[in-house]
Amino acid sequence: MPLETLERVGLEQSEEKDFLWTLNFGPQHPATHTTLRLILTLDGETIVKAVPDIGYLHSGFEKLGEHLDFNQYVTIVDRMNYISPVANEIAWHHAVEKLLGIEITPRCKYIRTIFAELMRIHDHLLCCGAAALDLGGFTAFLYAFNQREKIYDISETASGQRFHPSYTRVGGLLRDIDDDWIAQVRAFVRDFPKAHADVCRLLNRNRIFIDRTRGIGILSKEEAINWSCTGPIARASGVTRDLRKDEPYLAYPDLDFKVICAVTGDCMSRYLVRMDEMLESIKIIEQAIENLPSGPINVDVNDKVVVPNQQAVYRSIEGLIQHFELFMTNRQWQTPVDEVYGAIESPNGELGFYVVADGTGVAYRARTRPPSFIHFAVFPLLMVGHQVSDVVAVLGSLNIIAAELDR
């Protein structure tokens, strides 16, 4: 065992003896919520070492990126962080459009921005609700999941699918939204603050919840930077970085919102940052839906990279030819021989794709920078010196999605 690990719990190197024992936490433990395994070394109930063991949900999604074209691969990225799938789609096509030099239409930017913030709320509701559930707060879990169902309905109205929408396309979207979708979004914006306040009243002053989260799993600002943490985990430790502000994309430069930060870096801070971020997301959605531009959702069909709409395919020879060439021959997927990295501020942090292109419509290499993979590596640092009962609190505050971990 490393010397610094022992020193953190006040043990000397010479004292590492048979009183230390090993406990497997997961992959079947209900508090892991997914196929995660933790190998804990204990001194009584004090954790002196924690080793994450991944590989139980291997999906091969990076390798699949070398066999599917830039539109087909959206069905795979949906299943990485399956809690906020459209955010994954936006990140993937953000990188591809950067490679191809495509500037999407203003209407597409605003619709993608609305979906990105809906996914942020969707993801944070699961994280905060499940974290409360693990610590005994079942009611808060139900309140959070009730709101998530409404976002599923919004997703279904736009794309026809609830869980894996596959809604974005190179240069645009699957289809335009209608007045019913806009009405659903407005209703959600109107009703969500009350549900948010209900969760806050249940948890923010709850003595059990406070005792189980305050001062637990503290991550300092320096540690957050050194371990490449991003998103709410980094901002809860005082790292004021948000790609929506620092590297603006989509409609974010046109919208007014704050970057929510804290300084303590414990489980409670990570919870509070996510709760406040949801209210900022509501502000963003409200501004975007009320200022939604008119016009097309896809770039001009003459760019030869966009899937033509159904009317163009059925009623024009140009649309029919383009559809045939895109789907049957890949002739029109002419990409530069280049490599590019594109990233967005996903609900859990920086989600990026590194794409190596060889001139065809299929990536030569599609590498993912998933936030869960980075943040799970921090878990051993946070757990040393805590009790076994603190595992669920820290793990819940990190919001690890196993499908992002395994390649």
Side-chain angles (χ1 to χ4, degrees), residues 234-239 260-265 269-270 273:
R235 290 191 287 273
S237 298
V239 181
I260 305 298
C261 295
V263 294
T264 310
S269 294
R270 291 189 279 272
V273 164

Side-chain angles (χ1 to χ4, degrees), residues 229-243:
C229 294
T230 55
I233 293 174
R235 290 191 287 273
S237 298
V239 181
T240 57
R241 175 172 171 77
D242 190 316
L243 293 182

Side-chain angles (χ1 to χ4, degrees), residues 231-258:
I233 293 174
R235 290 191 287 273
S237 298
V239 181
T240 57
R241 175 172 171 77
D242 190 316
L243 293 182
R244 296 174 295 174
K245 291 282 191 182
D246 299 328
E247 298 178 17
Y249 58 96
L250 296 181
Y252 289 112
D254 304 335
L255 305 174
D256 179 45
F257 63 97
K258 296 185 296 184

Side-chain angles (χ1 to χ4, degrees), residues 267-332:
C267 293
M268 189 64 174
S269 294
R270 291 189 279 272
Y271 158 78
L272 292 173
V273 164
R274 287 188 173 96
M275 292 298 289
D276 287 349
E277 276 191 2
M278 286 191 274
L279 294 180
E280 291 301 309
S281 292
I282 288 293
K283 286 172 52 180
I284 293 172
I285 295 169
E286 186 174 20
Q287 294 173 69
I289 201 70
E290 300 304 331
N291 296 281
L292 187 64
S294 59
I297 57 166
N298 291 327
V299 298
D300 196 314
V301 74
N302 293 325
D303 284 342
K304 301 298 184 184
V305 295
V306 178
V307 178
N309 62 38
Q310 191 178 53
Q311 185 175 9
V313 174
Y314 287 170
R315 299 190 180 184
S316 71
I317 188 64
E318 294 83 3
L320 179 62
I321 291 173
Q322 180 170 341
H323 187 278
F324 175 80
E325 290 184 335
L326 281 174
F327 284 92
M328 303 302 293
T329 67
N330 267 344
R331 272 182 54 193
Q332 291 182 324

Side-chain angles (χ1 to χ4, degrees), residues 17 76 81 83 87 93-94 113 115 127 201 208-209 255 282:
K17 296 180 182 178
I76 305 302
N81 183 349
I83 309 303
H93 280 136
H94 174 70
T113 301
F115 260 109
C127 177
R201 280 194 292 269
I208 296 174
F209 187 76
L255 305 174
I282 288 293

Side-chain angles (χ1 to χ4, degrees), residues 29-206:
H29 195 287
T32 63
H33 297 290
T34 182
T35 46
L36 302 177
R37 180 187 177 212
L38 302 167
I39 306 170
L40 307 176
T41 303
L42 306 177
D43 173 17
E45 287 203 21
T46 302
I47 298 171
V48 297
K49 187 177 182 182
V51 178
D53 184 16
I54 68 174
Y56 292 88
L57 196 59
H58 181 70
S59 55
F61 55 71
E62 287 185 340
K63 196 65 177 176
L64 287 167
E66 302 171 16
H67 297 276
L68 300 174
D69 70 36
F70 295 131
N71 276 331
Q72 292 171 334
Y73 190 53
V74 75
T75 62
I76 305 302
V77 301
D78 262 339
R79 289 156 172 81
M80 293 180 186
N81 183 349
Y82 41 79
I83 309 303
S84 49
V86 183
N88 305 346
E89 301 171 18
I90 293 170
W92 167 248
H93 280 136
H94 174 70
V96 172
E97 287 156 0
K98 187 176 180 181
L99 170 71
L100 299 174
I102 294 175
E103 178 72 19
I104 59 177
T105 67
R107 185 173 179 84
C108 180
K109 288 181 180 179
Y110 271 71
I111 294 174
R112 285 191 184 183
T113 301
I114 293 169
F115 260 109
E117 294 309 311
L118 286 172
M119 292 298 106
R120 193 178 316 280
I121 296 171
H122 200 255
D123 205 296
H124 287 357
L125 284 171
L126 174 100
C127 177
C128 297
L133 173 67
D134 292 340
L135 301 178
F138 186 59
T139 306
F141 172 80
L142 295 178
Y143 282 21
F145 266 60
N146 183 47
Q147 296 302 307
R148 293 181 75 245
E149 283 299 312
K150 296 179 181 180
I151 298 177
Y152 276 133
D153 292 339
I154 293 171
S155 175
E156 184 178 21
T157 300
S159 68
Q161 301 182 74
R162 291 172 66 81
F163 297 102
H164 303 299
S166 303
Y167 185 58
T168 65
R169 295 291 185 271
V170 176
L173 302 168
L174 169 64
R175 61 171 64 95
D176 203 352
I177 49 93
D178 57 18
D179 292 341
D180 289 340
W181 186 86
I182 293 174
Q184 279 184 289
V185 173
R186 284 174 171 162
F188 179 78
V189 168
R190 182 186 65 245
D191 298 339
F192 179 79
K194 181 179 183 302
H196 181 278
D198 288 340
V199 175
C200 289
R201 280 194 292 269
L202 283 168
L203 297 179
N204 287 18
R205 297 178 63 187
N206 184 292

